[in-house]
Amino acid sequence: MTPKQVLDMANEKDLKVVDLRFLDFLGLWQHFTVPLSELDETSFEDGFGFDGSSIRGWQPIHASDMLVVPDSTTAQIDPFFAEPTLVLIGDIVDPITREPYSRDPRNIAKKAEAYLKGTGIGDTAYFGPEAEFFIFDDVRYDNASNGCFYEVDSVEGTWNTGRDEGPNLGYKPRHKEGYFPVPPTDKFQDLRTEMLLTLEQVGIEVECQHHEVATAGQAEIDMRFKSLVQMGDQLMWFKYVLKNVAYRHGRTVTFMPKPLYGDNGTGMHIHISIWKDGQPTFAGDKYAGLSENGMYAMGGILKHCPALCAFTNPSTNSYKRLVPGFEAPVNLAYSSRNRSAAVRIPMYSDSPKAKRVEFRTPDPSCNGYLAFSAMLMAVIDGIENRIDPGEPMDKNIYDLPPEKLANIPSAPGSLDEALAALKEDQEFLLKGGVFTQDVIDMWIDYKTENEINTVKLRPHPYEFFLYFDV
């Protein structure tokens, strides 16, 4: 919609307020609300002021003034607010220079799209993330100098088979058996359908919803693929909708990669393809129906995967999921059907339009704009430098003898390792000014100081079990 169309729509629906939203550096939606009377066509150029020093990883206090400039094409009506509210996603702009803000993730995504077009490789990069999540009934946690704990609970949790529920009716999926029995074992069918319909209400095309492998309400809802910036926007709506639908039913949703010990973690497999002039460029006569560019795209992802993980798996908890020897796709190999490989070529359809590459290592704790942009830059680097992905790995990687498994490189084992890889391998991200040195340095510094070090400094409860009696 144009600015005029947005205003006409707001007046036709008798909306009174506008909610302006943008993403902080790490990936959390922020917002503030203004009366509709404050919005006119000039607002889509002039923007609205706010304090950038209060946003994580952004401005210092002495240079805090920032502008959020609403994007008229993102207009939606919020499905949860009591007062019908127009929602506009905005871009962040420096109020003095009027330049897009370098640390605004949406700006980085826009630059990545522009860079792709400038290379001539393609004009559109499509992304299709499969974001998994958990639906819990209760979550409690605390951290103090003399103690810490966490506890989550779910009516589906297999640990509750012996709980007095007055009465306990059973039908609780065992560990790794949640994919995907019908109700009454699946207790969240109606809730997921409400999530699906609410996503459609805000303009998001959904392909399916289902229970996932783990006990305790693990689930997945798949969105139809969209271009980079559009999917970045949609992923924010996705998390917002799922959390709020669950919340109004007295439940909570988390995209934390590994909230449960002893069961599957939460991933976000990301499908990517590049198109040019309305035609897919990854379809061809090479392995699994890929083109030469499709093969090189996989080469770029596999080569840069350790550095990519700093953005696609950006939490210390991410690496509780990415543990070698289990089912998580930590092995840097590719295959047409082998889900234990980091990169897969889905084989559901022979149509050239369906040909894409699936990166299976990421998880939904990531900032989608940054993760998708970094992936695209790795793919472009692979194509431009004709990076050979090597031979496919069509056997079960975890059944290989140790001497062969030792020859397959692995994803980082910790956030420290991922950030160290990013320090050493960042040139592909800096091309075209898509990621700036300031962005990468701030990402590394913020993650190290506020996440890695704070976790390292705290005793772990299991250490008391292991070491208290030494």
Side-chain angles (χ1 to χ4, degrees):
M1 284 191 283
T2 65
K4 183 178 185 306
Q5 289 172 328
V6 170
L7 292 168
D8 290 344
M9 181 267 286
N11 289 320
E12 288 170 9
K13 295 183 179 294
D14 197 28
L15 303 180
K16 301 289 195 304
V17 288
V18 182
D19 203 49
L20 300 164
R21 297 186 186 174
F22 58 93
L23 196 68
D24 72 11
F25 196 45
L26 302 183
L28 189 65
W29 238 1
Q30 309 289 330
H31 80 132
F32 61 91
T33 305
V34 300
L36 184 64
S37 59
E38 290 293 305
L39 186 73
D40 57 31
E41 289 191 53
T42 64
S43 303
F44 293 89
E45 295 182 4
D46 296 340
F48 295 84
F50 70 96
D51 177 8
S53 67
S54 297
I55 304 300
R56 298 181 297 175
W58 277 12
Q59 292 295 90
I61 192 68
H62 65 273
S64 61
D65 289 353
M66 303 294 288
L67 292 174
V68 56
V69 180
D71 182 343
S72 64
T73 67
T74 66
Q76 293 289 346
I77 297 176
D78 189 278
F80 302 105
F81 291 167
E83 179 65 37
T85 301
L86 173 66
V87 175
L88 292 167
I89 298 174
D91 298 306
I92 307 305
V93 170
D94 185 288
I96 298 175
T97 66
R98 302 296 302 186
E99 292 292 321
Y101 185 45
S102 64
R103 296 183 196 170
D104 175 14
R106 198 167 189 263
N107 172 42
I108 293 170
K110 285 187 169 184
K111 289 191 290 183
E113 286 190 321
Y115 182 72
L116 170 64
K117 293 177 182 178
T119 64
I121 291 170
D123 49 47
T124 308
Y126 287 114
F127 288 82
E130 300 175 356
E132 298 170 344
F133 56 97
F134 276 90
I135 303 166
F136 291 136
D137 295 319
D138 189 58
V139 55
R140 294 181 296 123
Y141 52 89
D142 196 14
N143 290 277
S145 62
N146 66 325
C148 64
F149 82 96
Y150 75 88
E151 186 171 348
V152 296
D153 207 359
S154 168
V155 67
E156 271 196 2
T158 190
W159 55 83
N160 282 325
T161 55
R163 183 172 66 177
D164 183 1
E165 295 181 344
N168 189 325
L169 300 178
Y171 300 112
K172 303 181 192 298
R174 290 173 286 273
H175 288 301
K176 301 182 183 296
E177 293 187 22
Y179 192 82
F180 24 48
V182 297
T185 301
D186 178 0
K187 294 177 173 57
F188 298 115
Q189 167 67 19
D190 291 339
L191 186 63
R192 293 194 308 270
T193 294
E194 184 177 334
M195 292 170 175
L196 181 158
L197 295 175
T198 308
L199 288 168
E200 290 187 332
Q201 185 180 331
V202 295
I204 295 176
E205 295 179 88
V206 178
E207 294 182 337
C208 70
Q209 61 93 341
H210 58 82
H211 205 289
E212 256 298 338
V213 174
T215 187
Q218 192 184 35
E220 181 177 315
I221 300 176
D222 294 336
M223 296 178 281
R224 187 171 296 279
F225 64 89
K226 297 292 178 185
S227 59
L228 197 163
V229 173
Q230 189 174 4
M231 184 52 76
D233 293 344
Q234 285 196 176
L235 185 59
M236 298 314 302
W237 270 110
F238 181 88
K239 292 184 175 183
Y240 176 75
V241 165
L242 270 57
K243 290 176 181 179
N244 279 282
V245 169
Y247 193 77
R248 70 185 178 191
H249 286 277
R251 291 192 158 95
T252 187
V253 157
T254 181
F255 294 94
M256 187 176 176
K258 190 68 174 179
L260 297 182
Y261 167 71
D263 213 336
N264 281 41
T266 291
M268 187 173 76
H269 309 149
I270 302 175
H271 300 251
I272 180 173
S273 63
I274 293 178
W275 288 52
K276 185 174 183 178
D277 299 327
Q279 297 299 316
T281 69
F282 281 7
D285 59 1
K286 305 300 181 184
Y287 176 80
L290 284 178
S291 66
E292 205 169 51
N293 274 5
M295 298 295 291
Y296 295 143
M298 290 194 300
I301 291 174
L302 291 173
K303 176 184 177 180
H304 297 298
C305 181
L308 287 179
C309 285
F311 293 108
T312 62
N313 304 81
S315 70
T316 59
N317 185 252
S318 296
Y319 300 88
K320 300 294 194 295
R321 167 181 170 259
L322 295 181
V323 179
F326 295 88
E327 293 182 9
V330 300
N331 296 286
L332 303 187
Y334 72 94
S335 173
S336 61
R337 302 181 71 179
N338 191 341
R339 292 170 184 263
S340 60
V343 175
R344 189 174 76 97
I345 304 95
M347 302 300 291
Y348 298 123
S349 172
D350 292 331
S351 170
K353 293 184 177 181
K355 195 55 62 181
R356 74 265 193 199
V357 169
E358 177 189 9
F359 185 27
R360 297 177 60 81
T361 306
D363 69 59
S365 69
C366 70
N367 177 328
Y369 298 100
L370 298 184
F372 302 152
S373 298
M375 274 184 64
L376 178 58
M377 297 304 287
V379 163
I380 293 172
D381 189 63
I383 294 171
E384 287 185 328
N385 291 295
R386 304 174 69 85
I387 298 174
D388 185 353
E391 295 299 316
M393 182 58 66
D394 289 330
K395 296 179 180 180
N396 186 341
I397 292 174
Y398 300 114
D399 287 342
L400 292 176
E403 62 272 16
K404 288 191 175 181
L405 188 59
N407 294 324
I408 301 175
S410 181
S414 67
L415 185 56
D416 300 55
E417 291 181 22
L419 294 179
L422 179 60
K423 286 182 181 179
E424 297 299 318
D425 180 24
Q426 54 184 250
E427 290 302 317
F428 73 103
L429 297 170
L430 297 170
K431 290 179 180 179
V434 175
F435 286 78
T436 63
Q437 193 66 57
D438 169 72
V439 164
I440 293 175
D441 291 345
M442 174 56 74
W443 187 261
I444 293 171
D445 291 346
Y446 189 95
K447 288 284 177 178
T448 301
E449 180 180 347
N450 295 281
E451 298 179 29
I452 292 173
N453 289 346
T454 57
V455 170
K456 281 183 177 179
L457 288 169
R458 284 167 167 76
H460 190 286
Y462 201 70
E463 290 176 319
F464 280 80
F465 175 81
L466 292 173
Y467 309 125
F468 186 76
D469 59 350
V470 296

